């Protein structure tokens, strides 16, 4: 019975957005009143110094090339859904991949209070600030 009560009380917190980042949050959504968000997002990424690796106008997604943050690299994944700009980031540690002789061991950025993850999250927040202040954070 306690487990059921726990699930009923905390499940909405996991599926609905929160107004501040929380441990484990990996998605930032900005609700914007701007029109043509896909074009604006692409232009803003270029102005902010990102190179576009891929964009798909049918699905309204943009992925950037890898960019340095401290000793690792990150890339932004931007999706436009109606009046929302959804932003996620992936990290990769190429030095560790070289030592372990592996490739492609990237992972989805999760919010943390400090460390290189926080540095990458700050870059994601800076990009998001171009679209408004109405933000929600999710764990997807």
């Amino acid at each position: 019975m306690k487990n059921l009560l726990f699930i009923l009380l905390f499940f909405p917190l996991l599926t609905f957005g929160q107004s501040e980042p929380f441990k484990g949050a990996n998605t930032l959504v900005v609700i914007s009143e701007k029109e043509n968000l896909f074009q604006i997002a692409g232009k803003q990424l270029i102005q902010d110094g990102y190179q576009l690796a891929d964009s798909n106008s049918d699905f309204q997604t943009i992925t950037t090339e890898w960019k340095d943050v401290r000793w690792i690299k990150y890339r932004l994944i931007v999706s436009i859904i109606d009046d929302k700009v959804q932003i996620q980031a992936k990290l990769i540690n190429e030095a560790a991949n070289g030592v372990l002789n592996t490739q492609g061991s990237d992972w989805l950025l999760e919010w943390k209070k400090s460390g290189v993850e926080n540095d990458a999250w700050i870059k994601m927040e800076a990009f998001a600030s171009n679209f408004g202040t109405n933000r929600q954070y999710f764990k997807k």
Side-chain angles (χ1 to χ4, degrees), residues 42-53:
K43 289 177 182 178
Q44 190 61 55
L45 284 166
I46 293 168
Q47 285 180 342
D48 289 352
Y50 292 93
Q51 293 181 2
L52 305 185

Side-chain angles (χ1 to χ4, degrees), residues 97-109:
N97 288 345
V99 169
L100 300 172
N101 198 21
T102 61
Q103 292 180 347
S105 60
D106 58 356
W107 67 95
L108 197 59
L109 171 66

Side-chain angles (χ1 to χ4, degrees), residues 27-42 44-45 60-62 76-88 124-138 140:
T27 305
L28 166 57
V29 175
V30 183
I31 300 169
S32 180
E33 296 180 8
K34 296 181 179 184
E35 294 188 23
N36 300 319
L37 280 174
F38 181 69
Q39 292 175 340
I40 292 170
Q44 190 61 55
L45 284 166
Q60 301 281 293
T61 59
I62 303 170
L76 296 182
I77 303 160
V78 180
S79 303
I80 308 302
I81 304 165
D82 300 322
D83 63 343
K84 297 175 182 74
V85 180
Q86 176 179 292
I87 309 163
Q88 293 180 315
M124 193 168 75
E125 290 272 4
F127 173 71
S129 69
N130 294 295
F131 302 98
T133 57
N134 189 355
R135 298 180 185 187
Q136 296 176 331
Y137 300 89
F138 296 89
K140 292 189 177 189

